[in-house]
Amino acid sequence: MDSIGDVAVGVKRGSDELSMYNNPNSGMSSLSDGTSNGSESKKQRVEEAPPSRVLHIRKLPNEASETEVIALGLPFGKVTNILTLKGKNQAFLEMGTEEAAITMVNYYTTVTPHIRNVPVFIQYSNHKELKTDAGNQRTQAVLQAVSAVQSGGSPSSDIQEVLAAALSPVLRIIIDNMFYPVTLDVLQQIFSKFGTVMKIITFTKNNQFQALLQFSDPVNAQQAKLALDGQNIYNSCCTLRIDFSKLVNLNVKYNNDKSRDYTRPDLPAGDGQPSLDPAVAAAFSKDSNSLLGKIPGALTPLSAAAAAAAAAGRVALAGQAGSSGVLLVSNLNQEMVTPQSLFTLFGVYGDVQRVKILYNKKDSALIQMSDANQAQLAMSHLNGQKMYGKIIRVTLSKHQTVALPRDGLDDQGLTKDYANSPLHRFKKPGSKNFQNIFPPSATLHLSNIPQDVGEDDLRLLFSNSGGTVKAFKFFQDHKMALIQMSTVEEAIQALIDLHNYSMGGNQHLRVSFSKSTI
């Protein structure tokens, strides 16, 4: 899609506007101002046409229909007439008022209008009114259908879809190449740049993450579609594919991680679904630009770390991730720390490739993540956390990779290569693990629990990791549970000790941080 900088709209008068009316097949009988003199046409070419409720549209694709041309104008007000000139790939559109026409031209000066993915040019006509041949039955039928829609009636079936799309405030959003999480809050931040977002519903269909998003006004929906369709949310991934929905109103029953009605903060969260964390809401309301740069019409790419931090309910670090995927971790408890413990903890936020505890400085380690975004994500969540009784410091390293020891050299097991580990959480694109990245918390989410393992078994297991279990709650199917430790440090210790713990029968416990409380 063209960027908004490539504006294909002008308000200068088209060079061949007046000469078109000599076309005997145009269906035009007369124009109200009658200025069709050749010399006047030449003189006026270099002048800016004054605002008029008649708009001249050029560079239309050959197959463009009258309804598609009308759809360009519908969000801005009543459309009262149309004249298409197929041989010229041009058209004239008459709006109900001059104000509507001005709004339309101003808008399309900043957002390139497209018909069938082809950019078209819109400018003021020198004519103040269109007088078309009343015998053109097709045009009259289209205009009657438009009038019916604008009056609340139903259009005929052959043009219903185009007109309904132009009038719908609801967008259907499909996200391709989804390597990083896309949450309700991320969508709201992106699309609210174009108007008031009222409701969002997210769901998975055909193994694709999709969303329905309702604006307060169809104009905003069309503006967002034109600007964002085909753009990437994050660098080189999470591509937005946007269409108009046939729905004109969304029915949202619950405010939770999957649906939200921003006009109804009183809605319940629903069974088993956490409601919006007040701290997250406060963070977004205080600084709406903390995650997304200003969008002048085209989406600014975001770092995946920022988005995942948003998903986790915290304002991310400003700026893009650095080029390095290697982290330097210092102030470690050198008596306790191992490559495996670092692999497990940092593996919550990305796929750890290599870990190297420094031979001459064993309270420090280098950790190589899959990419720079994962490195920044891990840094944003783990810097300042307490591990084995010490507050660890996490920064980006100047190293690009972590070197393995030379063949035959014994480094006392301080360096480990995890490139082929089966425990990587984020190998599968679109995995639900991307949706469940949260900061370290006292509450842990447990999954893959065997049916014969009960609450007492799990309480005992987690108590043996050196902490105190404060609360426990099974999910309905008993395959998942929440367990709350006394402190975040205890939860970190429990996760390190018990993630991938063998529960027998080839089942291994999965442990991650939760944003819920019991």
Side-chain angles (χ1 to χ4, degrees):
M1 178 173 173
D2 292 345
S3 67
I4 301 311
D6 302 328
V7 176
V9 180
V11 293
K12 287 190 177 180
R13 207 166 154 277
S15 60
D16 53 357
E17 178 187 338
L18 291 177
S19 61
M20 290 188 292
Y21 297 116
N22 296 322
N23 181 349
N25 300 319
S26 68
M28 172 72 75
S29 56
S30 66
L31 288 162
S32 61
D33 60 4
T35 54
S36 58
N37 180 281
S39 62
E40 287 181 26
S41 172
K42 191 172 183 179
K43 176 183 175 184
Q44 290 171 352
R45 260 174 228 160
V46 295
E47 298 174 359
E48 286 191 1
S52 164
R53 67 190 184 98
V54 179
L55 299 172
H56 178 207
I57 304 170
R58 298 184 293 118
K59 301 289 182 73
L60 291 168
N62 290 330
E63 64 275 18
S65 66
E66 289 175 315
T67 51
E68 288 170 304
V69 175
I70 289 170
L72 290 175
L74 276 179
F76 304 94
K78 193 171 181 64
V79 175
T80 51
N81 211 343
I82 183 173
L83 169 70
T84 56
L85 298 147
K86 293 286 187 184
K88 298 275 188 178
N89 297 97
Q90 301 185 20
F92 290 86
L93 194 68
E94 180 185 277
M95 302 299 291
T97 64
E98 190 174 292
E99 288 75 17
I102 292 171
T103 302
M104 181 172 167
V105 168
N106 288 344
Y107 168 63
Y108 287 132
T109 300
T110 58
V111 177
T112 306
H114 285 68
I115 290 181
R116 303 198 179 204
N117 295 319
V118 175
V120 299
F121 293 69
I122 299 179
Q123 60 208 42
Y124 296 118
S125 166
N126 266 18
H127 304 288
K128 301 300 181 186
E129 183 182 354
L130 287 180
K131 288 186 179 178
T132 53
D133 184 355
N136 188 331
Q137 294 181 345
R138 167 67 184 168
T139 298
Q140 293 304 311
V142 170
L143 289 170
Q144 286 173 12
V146 171
S147 179
V149 173
Q150 292 176 319
S151 302
S154 299
S156 56
S157 58
D158 62 332
I159 62 171
Q160 185 169 2
E161 190 169 342
V162 173
L163 297 180
L167 291 170
S168 175
V170 180
L171 296 176
R172 183 173 70 103
I173 302 158
I174 297 175
I175 298 181
D176 287 334
N177 197 20
M178 186 168 159
F179 287 106
Y180 292 103
V182 177
T183 65
L184 282 171
D185 294 312
V186 168
L187 290 172
Q188 195 268 346
Q189 287 292 297
I190 292 168
F191 283 84
S192 64
K193 300 292 180 183
F194 300 90
T196 302
V197 175
M198 299 179 70
K199 303 171 186 177
I200 306 176
I201 297 172
T202 63
F203 55 95
T204 301
K205 185 177 181 181
N206 300 328
N207 291 321
Q208 282 188 308
F209 180 84
Q210 302 189 27
L212 293 170
L213 184 146
Q214 181 177 339
F215 280 100
S216 59
D217 193 300
V219 175
N220 304 136
Q222 189 167 76
Q223 184 179 1
K225 180 184 184 301
L226 285 166
L228 300 180
D229 189 26
Q231 298 282 352
N232 293 330
I233 300 179
Y234 313 138
N235 293 327
S236 305
C237 69
C238 297
T239 306
L240 293 166
R241 285 203 287 117
I242 305 172
D243 289 307
F244 287 101
S245 169
K246 292 181 180 179
L247 300 171
V248 293
N249 185 50
L250 298 180
N251 182 24
V252 176
K253 295 180 180 179
Y254 304 113
N255 283 341
N256 54 38
D257 287 347
K258 295 182 178 174
S259 62
R260 191 79 46 79
D261 185 337
Y262 294 93
T263 69
R264 293 280 311 280
D266 57 309
L267 288 177
D271 294 337
Q273 290 289 344
S275 60
L276 179 62
D277 187 332
V280 181
F284 279 100
S285 63
K286 286 177 183 174
D287 187 1
S288 61
N289 289 323
S290 60
L291 302 176
L292 308 176
K294 291 183 179 178
I295 304 177
L299 188 59
T300 304
L302 309 175
S303 74
R314 61 193 280 175
V315 177
L317 303 176
Q320 299 288 347
S323 58
S324 172
V326 179
L327 296 167
L328 172 64
V329 187
S330 57
N331 202 41
L332 293 164
N333 183 332
Q334 63 186 44
E335 304 299 325
M336 302 286 292
V337 72
T338 63
Q340 184 65 36
S341 63
L342 292 171
F343 167 79
T344 302
L345 179 58
F346 281 75
V348 173
Y349 301 106
D351 292 338
V352 176
Q353 302 299 301
R354 292 176 181 176
V355 178
K356 183 185 192 77
I357 295 175
L358 303 185
Y359 185 80
N360 294 321
K361 192 171 171 37
K362 292 186 173 64
D363 69 344
S364 299
L366 293 173
I367 300 177
Q368 182 177 334
M369 310 296 288
S370 283
D371 59 42
N373 286 322
Q374 291 184 1
Q376 188 170 3
L377 177 60
M379 179 176 70
S380 70
H381 285 310
L382 294 176
N383 182 42
Q385 296 291 346
K386 194 178 269 191
M387 178 183 181
Y388 297 127
K390 301 195 75 171
I391 295 174
I392 63 173
R393 300 295 172 210
V394 186
T395 59
L396 290 174
S397 169
K398 63 184 179 182
H399 295 283
Q400 297 299 309
T401 59
V402 171
L404 294 173
R406 294 192 299 274
D407 287 343
L409 182 67
D410 179 16
D411 78 337
Q412 302 176 10
L414 297 178
T415 306
K416 294 287 185 183
D417 186 356
Y418 295 100
N420 297 315
S421 172
L423 299 183
H424 286 160
R425 297 179 187 240
F426 306 104
K427 284 189 296 187
K428 185 180 176 184
S431 163
K432 285 187 176 180
N433 290 330
F434 287 107
Q435 309 282 335
N436 296 307
I437 300 173
F438 303 113
S441 64
T443 305
L444 297 168
H445 181 276
L446 315 181
S447 60
N448 211 29
I449 302 169
Q451 287 293 337
D452 59 350
V453 173
E455 177 178 339
D456 291 342
D457 300 319
L458 290 167
R459 279 179 174 268
L460 180 61
L461 181 64
F462 278 77
S463 296
N464 288 341
S465 71
T468 302
V469 176
K470 302 287 286 185
F472 182 92
K473 179 185 178 183
F474 263 123
F475 285 61
Q476 194 169 5
D477 60 4
H478 275 230
K479 292 180 182 177
M480 296 189 292
L482 295 177
I483 191 164
Q484 186 175 330
M485 309 301 289
S486 289
T487 65
V488 174
E489 183 185 4
E490 287 183 5
I492 288 174
Q493 181 66 54
L495 183 142
I496 290 171
D497 290 346
L498 297 172
H499 177 62
N500 200 46
Y501 184 85
S502 175
M503 304 295 287
N506 204 29
Q507 282 189 273
H508 292 79
L509 188 66
R510 297 185 61 80
V511 185
S512 56
F513 296 114
S514 173
K515 76 170 185 178
S516 303
T517 55
I518 303 173

